[in-house]
Amino acid sequence: MLLKPSGAISTALLVVGSAVGGAYAYHHYRDADWERRYAEYQRQLQGRLTESERQMQALNTQLGVARARLVTQDTLDEKYQALLTARDADFEKFRREHALAIKSISQAVFGLQQRERGGTETAHEEPPAPARPGAPMASPARQVISYEFTDSEGRVHLKDPNIWLQGDEDLELTQSFQVEGTVMQQTDGSLMTERVQLTEVTPDGTGKYRPLTQARLVDANFTYANAPRDEAPLSQRSYMATIGSSFRTSSLVRFGGSARVLRLGPVGFAGGLSSDFKSLEGSGADAFLTYTPSIAGRELGLVLGGGVHLPLGGARRVLPNLTLSFVVY
């Protein structure tokens, strides 16, 4: 059933008014949220921290947490350039080729104290060197004794050709270390912190490593840049109020809610529920592709969509569906 001209005009005005109101509300609250986050960022950047935030940014060697500091991206880039040496030339070339930006810099000092128990040691007397024919007989000397030690894990190998002679020892260390770094961020702020752990490990024969000794964190610094973003990440879910239409149905317009669950640039996919509040055919699930228009790089908060409506009842089980949505969150 088609709407009368006056009804069509009223519906059009309702749709346009809802869209404009939704776009205004979206920008109003998004801009307000951005201003709040930016003010919070400036406070933290200037070092005006709460007691809880100071504890989060302080060095904690017992927990392995580094001393952290929030800086601007320019300051972080300057610090990175100051740390570069000739040994970093290959990595710096790699970074520039792949357009990689510096987001944080970590420096850590660990202390590792170990005690070996068990192992294999050998000591035996070395036969004296044969005397050369015609050479005078050497005076009796202390018997040469050589010594070797290998720890039970095969990491330490000590060789001493002559225990009576100082300076001829040969100590060989073969060690493997596992470094774990975990970066965490405030759920409602820009502050971050890093936990770093160093563990000596040894192969267990199955392709994995068995931990031996946990090193103690002595000192660590974590410098990072983390300014708030104006736009949400592209993969972030959006919740929307939706106005849909399948045309040539008993009710031209349906109202409902939807969630955009996938987004790739301006396009995405959303699903939701809508109803005309009059019939089972006008009520059901929606699935549609979305397009988010923008002006001068700034999203309008409006989402255009096209897909299908799946009624709860009625003769037709699938209806074409056009939607106009506005982002609520």
Side-chain angles (χ1 to χ4, degrees), residues 81 106 153 191 209 225 294 311 326:
Q81 293 297 327
S106 299
E153 300 293 343
L191 294 186
Y209 293 88
S294 60
F326 54 90

Side-chain angles (χ1 to χ4, degrees), residues 197-311:
Q197 297 171 283
L198 179 70
T199 306
E200 186 181 6
V201 297
T202 186
D204 63 2
T206 65
K208 298 182 180 180
Y209 293 88
R210 176 168 53 87
L212 295 176
T213 306
Q214 178 77 46
R216 181 178 63 87
L217 181 66
V218 176
D219 193 11
N221 288 283
F222 176 61
T223 307
Y224 59 95
N226 188 33
R229 298 178 57 176
D230 186 13
E231 296 293 342
L234 293 181
S235 60
Q236 184 172 331
R237 180 176 299 171
S238 297
Y239 297 97
M240 303 176 290
T242 302
I243 301 173
S245 177
S246 295
F247 301 104
R248 298 188 179 278
T249 56
S250 57
S251 295
L252 183 63
V253 179
R254 296 185 308 275
F255 300 90
S258 62
R260 182 170 51 197
V261 295
L262 177 65
R263 182 177 177 185
L264 298 173
V267 299
F269 178 79
L273 300 172
S274 64
S275 176
D276 61 3
F277 305 104
K278 295 180 179 180
S279 64
L280 291 179
E281 187 178 68
S283 304
D286 301 314
F288 51 95
L289 297 176
T290 65
Y291 173 76
T292 305
S294 60
I295 296 178
R298 194 169 181 83
E299 292 184 359
L300 300 178
L302 301 178
V303 179
L304 308 178
V308 294
H309 173 68
L310 308 174

Side-chain angles (χ1 to χ4, degrees), residues 14 83 115 119 194 228 305 309 314:
L14 176 62
L83 293 174
R115 175 178 293 177
E194 181 186 39
H309 173 68

Side-chain angles (χ1 to χ4, degrees), residues 22 39 65 68 71 76 84 123 135 150 180 197 202 326:
V65 177
V71 299
L76 186 65
L84 290 178
T150 302
E180 294 183 6
Q197 297 171 283
T202 186
F326 54 90

Side-chain angles (χ1 to χ4, degrees), residues 62-79:
Q62 183 176 1
L63 298 178
V65 177
R67 181 187 298 106
R69 182 189 173 203
L70 174 66
V71 299
T72 63
Q73 186 65 50
D74 290 342
T75 301
L76 186 65
D77 290 339
E78 292 174 1
K79 181 173 182 178

Side-chain angles (χ1 to χ4, degrees), residues 1-327:
M1 180 179 69
L2 297 179
L3 293 179
K4 295 180 179 180
S6 58
I9 294 175
S10 299
T11 301
L13 290 176
L14 176 62
V15 171
V16 173
S18 299
V20 172
Y24 171 78
Y26 172 76
H27 281 289
H28 174 74
Y29 289 109
R30 190 185 70 166
D31 290 347
D33 178 66
W34 159 252
E35 292 173 358
R36 179 193 63 79
R37 289 185 291 117
Y38 188 76
E40 188 78 353
Y41 165 71
Q42 288 295 330
R43 175 185 69 81
Q44 295 175 335
L45 183 64
Q46 295 167 15
R48 295 184 282 112
L49 308 179
T50 66
E51 180 59 30
S52 176
E53 291 172 339
R54 280 193 291 269
Q55 293 176 5
M56 190 181 76
Q57 300 289 271
L59 177 69
N60 189 324
T61 57
Q62 183 176 1
L63 298 178
V65 177
R67 181 187 298 106
R69 182 189 173 203
L70 174 66
V71 299
T72 63
Q73 186 65 50
D74 290 342
T75 301
L76 186 65
D77 290 339
E78 292 174 1
K79 181 173 182 178
Y80 173 74
Q81 293 297 327
L83 293 174
L84 290 178
T85 66
R87 294 176 298 176
D88 301 313
D90 289 341
F91 175 76
E92 184 63 6
K93 179 181 178 183
F94 172 83
R95 185 183 73 85
R96 294 182 183 279
E97 287 177 350
H98 295 275
L100 302 178
I102 304 299
K103 300 306 296 181
S104 64
I105 297 174
S106 299
Q107 297 171 312
V109 178
F110 291 90
L112 184 63
Q113 184 176 6
Q114 304 177 77
R115 175 178 293 177
E116 291 297 336
R117 296 185 182 276
T120 304
E121 57 183 357
T122 60
H124 58 272
E125 296 181 353
E126 298 290 341
R132 291 178 298 172
M137 294 294 294
S139 58
R142 186 181 298 180
Q143 182 67 45
V144 174
I145 299 176
S146 62
Y147 174 83
E148 289 190 30
F149 170 78
T150 302
D151 74 310
S152 57
E153 300 293 343
R155 301 169 301 157
V156 180
H157 190 195
L158 173 64
K159 298 174 65 175
D160 190 350
N162 186 352
I163 64 173
W164 312 116
L165 181 63
Q166 298 293 319
D168 63 341
E169 300 85 357
D170 183 15
L171 177 63
E172 181 179 331
L173 297 176
T174 304
Q175 296 174 279
S176 299
F177 294 93
Q178 174 181 286
V179 180
E180 294 183 6
T182 306
V183 176
M184 291 158 284
Q185 179 182 341
Q186 282 180 307
T187 56
D188 190 22
S190 295
L191 294 186
M192 303 172 70
T193 189
E194 181 186 39
R195 186 188 186 200
V196 285
Q197 297 171 283
L198 179 70
T199 306
E200 186 181 6
V201 297
T202 186
D204 63 2
T206 65
K208 298 182 180 180
Y209 293 88
R210 176 168 53 87
L212 295 176
T213 306
Q214 178 77 46
R216 181 178 63 87
L217 181 66
V218 176
D219 193 11
N221 288 283
F222 176 61
T223 307
Y224 59 95
N226 188 33
R229 298 178 57 176
D230 186 13
E231 296 293 342
L234 293 181
S235 60
Q236 184 172 331
R237 180 176 299 171
S238 297
Y239 297 97
M240 303 176 290
T242 302
I243 301 173
S245 177
S246 295
F247 301 104
R248 298 188 179 278
T249 56
S250 57
S251 295
L252 183 63
V253 179
R254 296 185 308 275
F255 300 90
S258 62
R260 182 170 51 197
V261 295
L262 177 65
R263 182 177 177 185
L264 298 173
V267 299
F269 178 79
L273 300 172
S274 64
S275 176
D276 61 3
F277 305 104
K278 295 180 179 180
S279 64
L280 291 179
E281 187 178 68
S283 304
D286 301 314
F288 51 95
L289 297 176
T290 65
Y291 173 76
T292 305
S294 60
I295 296 178
R298 194 169 181 83
E299 292 184 359
L300 300 178
L302 301 178
V303 179
L304 308 178
V308 294
H309 173 68
L310 308 174
L312 293 176
R316 290 177 291 183
R317 308 308 301 166
V318 179
L319 296 174
N321 184 34
L322 295 179
T323 63
L324 174 64
S325 307
F326 54 90
V327 178

